Amino acid sequence: MENLLYKEFRLVTHPTVYLFWGLAAMLLIPNYPYYVVFFYCSLGIFFSCHGARENNDIMYTATLPIEKSDTVRARILFAVLIELMQFLLAAVFAMLRKQIPTLGANLAGMDANVALFGMAFVMMGIFNFVFFTAYYKDPNKVGKCFAAASIIQFLYIAAAEAAVHILPFMKYRLDTPDPEYFTLKLAVLAVGLISYVMLTIFATVKAVRSFEKLDL
């Protein structure tokens, strides 16, 4: 698996992945929908999978002395590492934002706090499930798979941001500066992280089954 991951990062990673990591700094933008920061990470994964298709990466990998299931697991683990790096960088900028009091609260939606990260984990877990389960049914239709996943992501973003303005629990508990209601926000983060892990595992299991049935 280590060698496959090395191959993914050396041959599959699209240059925009590094650019989109840098967009974690968008958490410093006043009054902005911060979930979009994590959407860009999804876009980098899509570009990487699209480039892999154009370079016949799956056919190349199929010639290696490995199981087909390992091909799927390596690609999804590759995506997970990209996502976790995005979360790590976003956390750095969220902490930096706290040191700039002039930025104030985010009037557009969820503030850059712990609860935001928990809900973003759910969003990325949904992306992994929708994208990779569809992708490994037919890797040639990567654009169609991403379109479906991104539509669901933006519906999620719209619902999450609207909830901040509609639901009192969201507005007065979760959409508050840290460390207010910190225990509650940590619970949201924990639930989000568990959801992300479970959705990604389910995606991997289903994707492996689909890919093993695929006639290359």
Side-chain angles (χ1 to χ4, degrees):
M1 184 59 68
E2 182 180 346
N3 290 332
L4 278 176
L5 270 179
Y6 179 77
K7 187 272 294 182
E8 292 289 311
F9 278 101
R10 291 288 292 179
L11 301 180
V12 176
T13 308
H14 194 273
T16 54
V17 168
Y18 306 110
L19 171 65
F20 295 149
W21 279 344
L23 293 184
M26 293 172 71
L27 288 179
L28 299 178
I29 299 175
N31 305 323
Y32 189 80
Y34 294 135
Y35 291 103
V36 175
V37 170
F38 303 99
F39 165 76
Y40 281 116
C41 180
S42 307
L43 191 58
I45 293 169
F46 161 66
F47 283 141
S48 296
C49 291
H50 184 274
R53 184 195 68 180
E54 299 306 303
N55 291 314
N56 294 314
D57 176 77
I58 287 182
M59 293 303 297
Y60 163 70
T61 308
T63 64
L64 302 176
I66 59 172
E67 299 289 336
K68 289 178 73 175
S69 59
D70 287 338
T71 301
V72 177
R73 293 190 181 99
R75 177 61 56 81
I76 294 179
L77 182 55
F78 162 73
V80 166
L81 292 175
I82 290 175
E83 291 164 354
L84 293 180
M85 178 58 74
Q86 188 81 12
F87 275 95
L88 178 61
L89 292 171
V92 171
F93 282 103
M95 290 186 288
L96 178 60
R97 179 186 172 85
K98 285 191 63 178
Q99 307 305 314
I100 310 175
T102 55
L103 291 178
N106 180 18
L107 301 180
M110 197 71 171
D111 203 1
N113 59 23
V114 171
L116 170 75
F117 283 82
M119 297 180 70
F121 268 120
V122 175
M123 184 182 83
M124 296 308 298
I126 293 171
F127 169 80
N128 288 344
F129 184 81
V130 175
F131 179 73
F132 284 111
T133 54
Y135 175 67
Y136 280 105
K137 289 180 181 179
D138 187 353
N140 290 320
K141 296 181 179 179
V142 60
K144 182 178 179 180
C145 302
F146 179 72
S150 59
I151 287 172
I152 292 176
Q153 277 187 306
F154 275 104
L155 288 174
Y156 181 93
I157 291 172
E161 296 291 50
V164 171
H165 300 284
I166 297 173
L167 302 178
F169 174 76
M170 293 287 293
K171 182 174 182 179
Y172 299 112
R173 295 292 188 275
L174 298 186
D175 185 30
T176 54
D178 293 334
E180 294 181 22
Y181 304 102
F182 200 64
T183 301
L184 178 60
K185 292 173 184 175
L186 284 177
V188 172
L189 177 63
V191 170
L193 184 56
I194 292 170
S195 300
Y196 172 80
V197 171
M198 296 305 297
L199 284 166
T200 304
I201 290 174
F202 292 152
T204 303
V205 171
K206 190 171 181 180
V208 165
R209 290 175 181 171
S210 297
F211 191 61
E212 288 181 337
K213 297 176 183 177
L214 193 65
D215 184 5
L216 298 176

